[in-house]
Amino acid sequence: MRKRLKKAMLLLLAALATLLMLVGCELGMTPDQAKHAYDIKTTVTYYANGGEFGNSIKVQELWYKANVDRPMNIGVDKLQSGTTASFTLTRENYEFEGWYHIAIDEETGELLADAKTGECTLDMEKPVDFDTLLSEGEEWHIGAYWKTTAKVRVRLVADGKITDKAGNEYDPEADADIKTFNYVKKGLGTQTEMDVAKFKSPIDLPTLPTKMTHVFAGYYFDEDCTQPVTAELEMQPNQKDDVTIYAKYLTKDWAVVWNSKTAKSMFDGAFQPDKKYFVARDVVMSAGDPIAVTDLAATIDGNGRTIRGLTISNKTVPNGKDMAFLGNIQSTASIKDITFEDMNFTYGTLGKANFYFVCLGIANGASIENVTLSGMMSVSDNSAVNMEEGTASCMFGGFVNDAAYLSANPNGFKIKNMSLKYNTKEYVEIVKDFAILN
């Protein structure tokens, strides 16, 4: 009986010793007293790093015997040990991803951690190996790594229902996401506000299924599709809220302009009245790939975008051939909400010709709204050049002068920073006329 009682007492004492070793000082002992009493040689300090261990505890220190014990993984589960001690590590709107050693300041040698708040900067190249036996005198400082549960939600913007190749139907009027996905990590250096400069969690936007009835016209931050998502999304520090972006689709009679190649195709087809173009992105044209002058008859929805660096180069304009960027704008033409910057038009003639920066004329029925242009037109004469019309209307043909068009159409074409070069005396008259307009 005494032996069994003695054995039970020893087991109880051992259990108490183990409990004290793992969960810190109890029964009025100071940490130093406990370490001395139980021969504790090493410590591991766990930083919740934005979360908590229950009861608002941000930092938890566990004690171990050197060369005997391994550090415990006090993640979202109980301690993987035989003790009754357990910690629940939580953070609202985040998922626990694991433990990493805390980074050290290279200049001061100090830990990049706050012992009061539990926030820290992690060394993402040093995940914690919980199978490691601790050496005498070691002190580990490790922090929790989190992944936000905030999602990116994709909503559909389109005219009417659309159907994909598999026959699935999508209704933009339905109040539902067509796709959701999480932010993903790409070698994050930290996930706290202590080091915002290194805090980034970009995602590559997914490609949605090709639609049979519609064409994809880009992702946007707003439902009106005026603010394009042109780069990777970045999750903000401690972000909690989901982000909604909008996928715009157009009926298949529209062509979408994404880059200089598709922009070149737009200008090549602009003379066709049944063509419709939607400019989804800002575009920089290639200087070595000039466009041809053609009469505008198509529909161009600029969507607030800018096309830079358009060039026209024709050194052999035939006798009597007048030239302008958009030619004669036809009654079927519609162009709106677009800016053309840094245009460069260079002309040379084989006879007499008139040159206009914008157009030769505008037919009744044409729609022009909020179109801004800037650039330079250069004209060199290979023979006598008749600039009589040009001196009065250097930008718009078919009007008494440029002021007549601009005053009658304040929301149509807007001219900014235009310059003209001509190697005869008429150059002075053109500039004088332009100065009056501005």
Side-chain angles (χ1 to χ4, degrees):
M1 180 69 177
R2 286 184 177 180
K3 289 184 178 180
R4 286 198 297 270
L5 181 60
K6 183 178 180 181
K7 186 176 181 181
M9 290 294 293
L10 289 173
L11 288 173
L12 177 60
L13 289 173
L16 287 172
T18 303
L19 180 59
L20 287 171
M21 176 182 68
L22 288 171
V23 301
C25 62
E26 295 276 351
L27 306 178
M29 278 190 178
T30 66
D32 288 339
Q33 288 173 334
K35 290 178 182 180
H36 177 76
Y38 297 106
D39 192 28
I40 294 171
K41 303 293 186 182
T42 64
T43 59
V44 177
T45 306
Y46 298 76
Y47 291 75
N49 199 17
E52 62 177 47
F53 297 106
N55 297 323
S56 300
I57 298 173
K58 306 296 185 181
V59 178
Q60 185 66 55
E61 183 180 78
L62 300 188
W63 306 330
Y64 303 86
K65 287 188 175 182
N67 300 313
V68 176
D69 293 316
R70 296 177 173 85
M72 296 292 103
N73 186 348
I74 55 175
V76 292
D77 299 319
K78 291 183 177 181
L79 285 171
Q80 301 301 306
S81 70
T83 73
T84 58
S86 65
F87 297 94
T88 300
L89 178 61
T90 59
R91 185 179 181 184
E92 186 178 1
N93 298 312
Y94 283 82
E95 294 177 357
F96 177 70
E97 288 271 288
W99 294 96
Y100 287 79
H101 289 277
I102 294 175
I104 304 295
D105 189 301
E106 294 181 358
E107 294 183 0
T108 65
E110 296 180 353
L111 283 171
L112 296 177
D114 188 322
K116 292 183 178 180
T117 66
E119 294 188 349
C120 54
T121 298
L122 308 178
D123 186 340
M124 298 306 293
E125 296 182 357
K126 294 182 179 179
V128 175
D129 181 1
F130 288 98
D131 289 330
T132 302
L133 285 173
L134 297 166
S135 300
E136 184 172 342
E138 271 194 276
E139 291 186 3
W140 282 19
H141 297 267
I142 64 179
Y145 177 74
W146 301 93
K147 181 181 74 174
T148 181
T149 55
K151 296 182 182 296
V152 178
R153 301 184 178 277
V154 183
R155 293 292 181 100
L156 178 65
V157 176
D159 291 331
K161 297 178 181 180
I162 61 179
T163 307
D164 64 18
K165 290 183 177 180
N168 300 310
E169 190 175 76
Y170 300 84
D171 184 1
E173 297 300 322
D175 187 24
D177 304 323
I178 58 172
K179 191 177 185 71
T180 62
F181 49 92
N182 288 326
Y183 288 88
V184 296
K185 60 183 180 181
K186 290 186 179 180
L188 304 189
T190 177
Q191 280 207 332
T192 76
E193 292 179 336
M194 293 179 66
D195 193 358
V196 175
K198 293 181 180 179
F199 182 97
K200 292 183 178 180
S201 183
I203 60 163
D204 293 313
L205 291 173
T207 301
L208 296 180
T210 302
K211 303 296 184 295
M212 296 175 61
T213 55
H214 288 64
V215 292
F216 180 59
Y219 286 108
Y220 297 84
F221 286 114
D222 60 316
E223 193 170 3
D224 292 333
C225 297
T226 62
Q227 304 172 39
V229 180
T230 57
E232 291 178 327
L233 295 175
E234 290 187 0
M235 182 175 60
Q236 300 304 307
N238 296 320
Q239 178 176 320
K240 297 180 180 180
D241 297 330
D242 294 347
V243 171
T244 300
I245 60 176
Y246 298 87
K248 183 178 182 65
Y249 281 85
L250 297 167
T251 52
K252 293 193 77 172
D253 55 340
W254 286 87
V256 181
V257 175
W258 299 99
N259 49 40
S260 60
K261 182 179 179 180
T262 48
K264 178 73 162 52
S265 296
M266 176 178 72
F267 290 111
D268 289 344
F271 68 94
Q272 301 179 67
D274 60 336
K275 293 291 186 180
K276 299 164 71 174
Y277 299 94
F278 180 86
V279 184
R281 294 288 182 268
D282 292 341
V283 174
V284 178
M285 301 297 291
S286 170
D289 192 14
I291 67 169
V293 171
T294 185
D295 294 340
L296 176 63
T299 296
I300 297 176
D301 183 347
N303 193 37
R305 307 277 68 81
T306 297
I307 296 180
R308 294 182 175 86
L310 274 176
T311 59
I312 296 175
S313 181
N314 190 336
K315 301 295 182 61
T316 58
V317 177
N319 181 45
K321 174 70 173 179
D322 295 343
M323 301 292 289
F325 167 42
L326 297 175
N328 279 296
I329 298 178
Q330 304 296 299
S331 61
T332 58
S334 174
I335 182 170
K336 68 175 184 178
D337 300 333
I338 191 166
T339 296
F340 298 100
E341 289 185 353
D342 302 325
M343 297 191 294
N344 193 333
F345 305 153
T346 305
Y347 301 113
T349 69
L350 299 176
K352 293 182 178 181
N354 295 310
F355 300 91
Y356 304 92
F357 190 73
V358 181
C359 62
L360 301 176
I362 304 174
N364 290 333
S367 175
I368 301 159
E369 183 180 351
N370 194 28
V371 180
T372 302
L373 306 95
S374 66
M376 179 172 63
M377 180 172 71
S378 302
V379 179
S380 60
D381 60 333
N382 298 327
S383 62
V385 180
N386 179 6
M387 291 293 290
E388 292 180 1
E389 291 292 331
T391 57
S393 292
C394 55
M395 290 176 281
F396 307 100
F399 296 88
V400 174
N401 55 42
D402 295 327
Y405 170 81
L406 293 171
S407 62
N409 300 276
N411 296 319
F413 287 115
K414 302 173 184 179
I415 309 301
K416 293 185 177 180
N417 304 320
M418 189 190 79
S419 61
L420 301 168
K421 290 186 178 180
Y422 184 60
N423 57 359
T424 68
K425 64 180 181 180
E426 282 83 3
Y427 170 73
V428 178
E429 297 298 324
I430 293 172
V431 173
K432 187 184 297 182
D433 181 63
F434 181 65
I436 294 172
L437 298 176
N438 286 269

